[in-house]
Amino acid sequence: MQVLCKSTNGNAETHCCVCGQGFVMFWDRQSRAERITALHEIQETLRHHHSNGPGPDAHPKESFPVPEWGGRAILSGPSAPGSVPTWDL
């Protein structure tokens, strides 16, 4: 499953455990177990960003996929009603 993360100063769905920066997440509807696994992977990715620096500036300025992907982001299933395609972000 791929999740698109984007930093926010507003209502965040998760926060970096190193610097506290908030992020919103865009993903397909998944089972609870898949979401829990994805959240662990997101935290791992956010921690890895800090190998480049200590503060919120360590994270990408634009949205980024987790896991990282070299090509265009692809949703794992049909889009949920009201979801936003990644190219509209």
Side-chain angles (χ1 to χ4, degrees):
M1 167 176 50
Q2 189 173 49
V3 180
L4 187 69
C5 297
K6 184 172 179 149
S7 64
T8 183
N9 293 323
N11 293 331
E13 297 173 276
T14 193
H15 292 85
C16 175
C17 63
V18 176
C19 68
Q21 175 64 48
F23 294 88
V24 292
M25 300 174 289
F26 301 91
W27 49 9
D28 288 336
R29 294 180 189 201
Q30 302 295 329
S31 72
R32 178 176 162 78
E34 289 173 314
R35 288 191 308 268
I36 289 169
T37 300
L39 286 170
H40 288 291
E41 191 167 352
I42 289 165
Q43 284 300 320
E44 175 89 15
T45 299
L46 295 176
R47 278 192 299 276
H48 178 69
H49 289 163
H50 286 283
S51 61
N52 298 325
D57 290 336
H59 302 290
K61 300 291 181 222
E62 301 296 322
S63 57
F64 57 93
V66 175
E68 292 186 31
W69 178 258
R72 194 173 104 194
I74 298 172
L75 299 174
S76 61
S79 295
S83 65
V84 179
T86 57
W87 53 87
D88 284 346
L89 297 176

